[in-house]
């Protein structure tokens, strides 16, 4: 069973409930506070809480998908600030603790290629738990806010219906400005992730797979060079690829654009997000005979100059 939000009292009747007004008057006050957006939905929820005489869990999809935006849209600005400070801090602390425990106990059993996805999955699970808990109690929270504002309106303007209406319209309803702010903030956060953090992650992973490609090709080159030395022939189609590698390798006797009779072509084929763009890039180590008859192995790659391994000459 999900936890209950700590500020929701389990009292009977519910907090701020005005028992001395008629059902018709309460319904009208609720309509003024809720506004036109989703009025039918919240009137139904409020009626259920009134009938039960207590607050209990119900599901709210808007609060689940976007609690931050939902709070701003419903003009709960101060509560949104509290949610960002307390709620997000709670999430981040729990993600850090769980990741630290998992790094110590379980990450060594996960292959390097999948570790980033596992970390994201762990963080997502914690976030999902918190979002689910908030979504279950969002309607009860909004009911409590409505009852509080209605109690204030009745206390401040006991015989002034027009002022009550103005007060509830001001404190309730929805805010397009708040919703716009939410979308803007989410857009900025997404832009920071895409343009600041992802390149850092990509650069490291990119260097890893390029280094792996060169090392694999160089290891195969040593094997091929020894066979060529012993037989005088290039061992074309010699199986040099290793299962589990992110590089597919092939021994050939011709390479377009270079003069050689033996070469190893390493093609990146197992790069995952965010470096899938490396799939199909090639690195070629080929046998070259210099004018003095000395044999050397040169390197050619489809990678640009910035990405080319330092050990890859030419």
């Amino acid at each position: 069973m999900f936890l209950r939000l700590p500020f929701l009292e389990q009292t009977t009747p519910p907090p701020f409930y005005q028992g001395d007004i008629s059902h018709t008057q309460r319904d009208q006050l609720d309509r003024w506070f809720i506004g036109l957006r989703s009025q039918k939905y919240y009137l139904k929820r409020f009626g259920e809480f009134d009938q039960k005489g207590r607050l209990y869990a119900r599901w709210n999809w808007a609060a689940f998908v976007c609690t931050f935006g939902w709070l701003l849209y419903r003009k709960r600005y101060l509560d949104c600030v509290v949610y960002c400070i307390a709620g997000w801090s709670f999430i981040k602390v729990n993600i850090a603790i769980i990741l630290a425990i998992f790094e110590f106990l379980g990450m060594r059993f996960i292959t390097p290629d999948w570790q980033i996805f596992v970390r994201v999955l762990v963080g997502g699970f914690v976030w999902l738990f918190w979002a689910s808990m908030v979504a279950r109690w969002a309607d009860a929270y909004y009911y409590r806010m409505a009852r509080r504002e209605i109690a204030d309106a009745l206390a401040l303007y006991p015989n002034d219906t027009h002022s009550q209406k103005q007060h509830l319209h001001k404190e309730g309803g929805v805010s397009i400005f708040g919703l716009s702010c939410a979308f803007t903030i989410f857009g900025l956060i997404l832009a920071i992730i895409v343009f600041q953090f992802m390149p850092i992650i990509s650069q490291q992973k990119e260097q890893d797979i390029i280094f792996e490609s060169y090392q694999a090709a160089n290891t195969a080159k040593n094997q091929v060079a020894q066979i060529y030395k012993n037989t005088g022939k290039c061992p074309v189609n010699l199986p040099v690829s290793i299962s589990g590698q992110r590089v597919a390798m092939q021994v050939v006797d011709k390479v377009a654009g270079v003069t050689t009779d033996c070469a190893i072509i390493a093609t990146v084929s197992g790069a995952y997000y965010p470096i899938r763009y490396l799939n199909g890039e090639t690195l070629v180590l080929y046998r070259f005979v210099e004018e003095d008859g000395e044999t050397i192995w040169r390197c050619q790659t489809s990678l640009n100059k910035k990405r080319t391994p330092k050990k890859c000459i030419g």
Side-chain angles (χ1 to χ4, degrees):
M1 182 177 180
F2 285 98
L3 300 174
R4 180 179 59 83
L5 297 185
F7 52 80
L8 293 177
E9 303 92 329
Q10 288 183 315
T11 58
T12 302
F16 304 109
Y17 180 80
Q18 301 296 305
D20 56 346
I21 62 176
S22 66
H23 174 76
T24 302
Q25 185 180 2
R26 181 177 292 107
D27 182 75
Q28 183 59 71
L29 292 168
D30 285 342
R31 290 176 185 272
W32 288 341
F33 177 81
I34 296 168
L36 298 177
R37 296 288 183 178
S38 304
Q39 187 180 92
K40 183 178 180 181
Y41 170 84
Y42 287 110
L43 285 175
K44 179 182 177 181
R45 288 287 183 261
F46 288 8
E48 291 173 352
F49 293 138
D50 287 337
Q51 185 178 6
K52 292 287 186 179
R54 61 182 179 83
L55 300 179
Y56 57 96
R58 302 291 292 175
W59 188 265
N60 186 307
W61 277 108
F64 173 75
V65 175
C66 184
T67 306
F68 175 81
W70 177 75
L71 287 169
L72 288 179
Y73 184 56
R74 285 289 162 182
K75 297 184 180 180
R76 302 296 96 197
Y77 304 120
L78 182 59
D79 292 337
C80 184
V81 173
V82 174
Y83 169 77
C84 292
I85 296 174
W88 289 359
S89 297
F90 171 83
I91 294 171
K92 288 185 286 186
V93 168
N94 278 272
I95 289 175
I97 292 174
I98 294 174
L99 280 177
I101 295 173
F102 192 79
E103 290 282 344
F104 179 75
L105 296 178
M107 195 60 75
R108 64 179 180 272
F109 300 111
I110 308 298
T111 59
D113 290 340
W114 290 97
Q115 287 182 3
I116 182 64
F117 296 102
V118 172
R119 294 186 182 100
V120 172
L121 186 64
V122 171
F125 176 79
V126 177
W127 189 281
L128 184 65
F129 171 80
W130 176 251
S132 299
M133 185 176 70
V134 171
R136 283 172 58 86
W137 291 98
D139 287 343
Y141 153 80
Y142 193 57
Y143 171 89
R144 186 186 188 280
M145 296 300 102
R147 290 291 170 265
R148 186 187 69 184
E149 296 299 343
I150 288 172
D152 288 346
L154 293 175
L156 292 171
Y157 315 104
N159 300 310
D160 189 346
T161 303
H162 179 71
S163 296
Q164 293 173 6
K165 181 179 180 180
Q166 285 187 321
H167 176 87
L168 294 176
H169 278 176
K170 178 183 177 182
E171 300 299 331
V174 297
S175 171
I176 300 301
F177 172 76
L179 186 63
S180 301
C181 287
F183 276 110
T184 301
I185 293 172
F186 276 119
L188 290 173
I189 293 174
L190 184 62
I192 291 173
I193 293 173
V194 171
F195 296 110
Q196 291 294 121
F197 292 104
M198 289 309 298
I200 296 174
I201 297 173
S202 299
Q203 185 176 13
Q204 180 60 50
K205 287 188 167 293
E206 180 183 278
Q207 292 174 354
D208 289 344
I209 197 169
I210 291 173
F211 177 77
E212 180 184 324
S213 301
Y214 180 82
Q215 287 294 94
N218 192 55
T219 300
K221 180 264 294 184
N222 293 334
Q223 181 183 2
V224 170
Q226 185 63 44
I227 295 175
Y228 193 101
K229 180 180 179 180
N230 294 336
T231 65
K233 295 181 180 180
C234 181
V236 178
N237 297 324
L238 175 73
V240 288
S241 294
I242 301 175
S243 177
Q245 278 187 332
R246 295 178 291 182
V247 184
M249 293 187 294
Q250 182 182 10
V251 181
V252 297
D253 56 3
K254 293 180 181 179
V255 178
V258 298
T259 302
T260 185
D261 61 352
C262 196
I264 296 95
I265 301 177
T267 305
V268 179
S269 59
Y272 298 101
Y273 180 83
I275 55 170
R276 284 196 295 259
Y277 55 83
L278 287 178
N279 286 327
E281 299 286 354
T282 59
L283 187 148
V284 181
L285 294 180
Y286 62 95
R287 184 176 180 275
F288 181 78
V289 181
E290 296 185 312
E291 293 181 357
D292 60 2
E294 183 181 355
T295 300
I296 62 173
W297 285 80
R298 287 184 172 179
C299 180
Q300 175 179 286
T301 177
S302 63
L303 297 167
N304 58 34
K305 186 175 180 180
K306 182 179 179 181
R307 295 186 179 121
T308 299
K310 293 180 179 180
K311 294 182 180 181
C312 188
I313 303 171

